[in-house]
Amino acid sequence: MSSRLTPASSVSAAAPLPALAALVTVVLWASAFVGIRALGDTFSPGAMAFLRLLAAVIPLTILVAVVRLRARATGAQARPLFPRGRALAMVTAYGVAWFAGYTVLLNWAERHLDAGTAALLVNLAPILVAVAAGLFMGEGFPRHLVIGMTIAFAGVVLIALGGSATADAHADWLGVVLGVAAAILYATGVLIQKSALRTVDALTATWLGAVAGLVATAPFAPVAVTELSVAEPGAIWAVIYLGVGPTAIAFSTWAYALARTDASAMAATTLVVPALVIVLSWALLGELPTGVGIVGGLLCLAGVAIARRLLPRRPRVARRARSLDASSPALTPPEPRRVPGTTATEGTPPCASSSPASPSAGR
């Protein structure tokens, strides 16, 4: 009997791990928006991106080395350290677009937006991925995508008009444009990453992508050294945290959870990030979007959920029988025959045989 319980107990113990990995990812990504906003007065956008990627590449390199040494010790066949040809080009492009371009634009946007508003705008990326799939991958523009895009665009307009509830968090059109541009690069990086992961494992793609982003932001290195020399210790530790936590750890836990969870469920999980950002921003920075901005953000999230079909859908019930003419002789059930000695309650009522489903079956 104990042998039967052992597999079940092991499965139940391992089941929460993907959910825990997703939770760690969401919390770390939410904290990144707040950290970027807090460091905006200390580091310029390019310098902050360079320092963050430098802090991310170091632990990722150590992690890749440990994984490869362990694989070699167990005798497992390891893949080449660097992919070749088209795979290497895809990983490099994904790293430049996502790790470098997106990070610089997001840092710049949060000089004009509070952290919560920036997070709401960045979550437009799933819609942009669907648009790109419709344009370049032949998936078309179904009705739910068009409806979601329209709702999300209305939300972006409200965010731009809503401003910020605090005087120092001035939200303007430049910040909105930068936030949308960051979302475009985010979506571009996701699309390229999907193609790259067909031939490159997730850890190697994340590591090489971060290295490519670090090389792309290398021109900001002199400015980063200058700003780092006058920065306070708290700011230095904060930018290191951005590299180790929301970049190295979060991308690794994201890849782990995505490999063991449905993609649509993971996409729905990312919709929690803006809410966490607003709470953290209010608690740590004292910044909040206005009521209009929050409504705009909710519209953005609703548009994303509709466009990506993340909302629960009720099962369709066949209504063909209701539309048919009940007076048709061919469809009208015959009257039950009365058997002598029986009552009406012993026979099956006519409505029971014509009912499409019982209430319990429709739930």
Side-chain angles (χ1 to χ4, degrees), residues 33 97-98 100-107 109 113 117-132 152 156 159 174-192 300 304:
F33 287 92
W98 198 346
Y102 162 78
T103 304
V104 172
L105 286 182
L106 179 61
N107 295 345
L113 302 172
T117 303
L120 291 169
L121 289 174
V122 167
N123 266 268
L124 291 173
I127 286 185
L128 300 177
V129 171
V131 171
V156 172
I159 289 175
L174 177 58
V176 173
V177 171
L178 291 171
V180 173
I184 293 174
L185 286 179
Y186 180 4
T188 303
V190 170
L191 290 172
I192 300 175
C300 288
V304 171

Side-chain angles (χ1 to χ4, degrees), residues 36-289:
I36 291 170
R37 177 67 180 169
L39 293 174
D41 295 333
T42 304
F43 299 105
S44 58
M48 190 191 307
F50 173 79
L51 293 173
R52 175 179 178 176
L53 290 172
L54 179 62
V57 166
I58 296 175
L60 283 174
T61 303
I62 297 175
L63 180 60
V64 169
V66 170
V67 170
R68 290 187 171 273
L69 288 176
R70 181 176 298 178
R72 183 178 300 178
T74 57
Q77 184 177 3
R79 294 183 178 181
L81 182 61
F82 294 98
R84 298 178 181 180
R86 185 175 181 271
L88 180 59
M90 299 293 285
V91 171
T92 303
Y94 136 74
V96 172
W98 198 346
F99 284 94
Y102 162 78
T103 304
V104 172
L105 286 182
L106 179 61
N107 295 345
W108 190 4
E110 291 205 42
R111 289 194 162 196
H112 300 268
L113 302 172
D114 60 90
T117 303
L120 291 169
L121 289 174
V122 167
N123 266 268
L124 291 173
I127 286 185
L128 300 177
V129 171
V131 171
L135 289 175
F136 306 109
M137 300 181 182
E139 297 185 5
F141 293 90
R143 182 176 64 179
H144 64 86
L145 176 59
V146 176
I147 294 175
M149 289 170 55
T150 304
I151 295 175
F153 179 77
V156 172
V157 174
L158 286 180
I159 289 175
L161 297 176
S164 178
T166 53
D168 55 341
H170 52 287
D172 52 30
W173 279 100
L174 177 58
V176 173
V177 171
L178 291 171
V180 173
I184 293 174
L185 286 179
Y186 180 4
T188 303
V190 170
L191 290 172
I192 300 175
Q193 183 194 35
K194 286 184 177 181
S195 299
L197 288 178
R198 296 173 183 172
T199 55
V200 184
D201 63 278
L203 178 59
T204 302
T206 302
W207 171 59
L208 291 178
V211 171
L214 180 64
V215 173
T217 57
F220 300 105
V223 180
V225 172
T226 302
E227 295 176 354
L228 197 63
S229 63
V230 296
E232 297 181 355
I236 297 175
W237 283 110
V239 77
I240 293 175
Y241 165 78
L242 288 179
V244 175
T247 306
I249 296 178
F251 275 90
S252 300
T253 54
W254 170 264
Y256 174 86
L258 188 61
R260 295 161 177 82
T261 311
D262 184 67
S264 61
M266 290 299 295
T269 303
T270 61
L271 297 181
V272 183
V273 172
L276 292 177
V277 172
I278 291 175
V279 173
L280 291 174
S281 180
W282 171 68
L284 300 177
L285 304 179
E287 294 182 353
L288 279 176

Side-chain angles (χ1 to χ4, degrees), residues 335-348:
E335 290 289 336
R337 295 182 178 181
R338 289 287 184 92
V339 179
T342 61
T343 62
T345 57
E346 293 175 344
T348 303

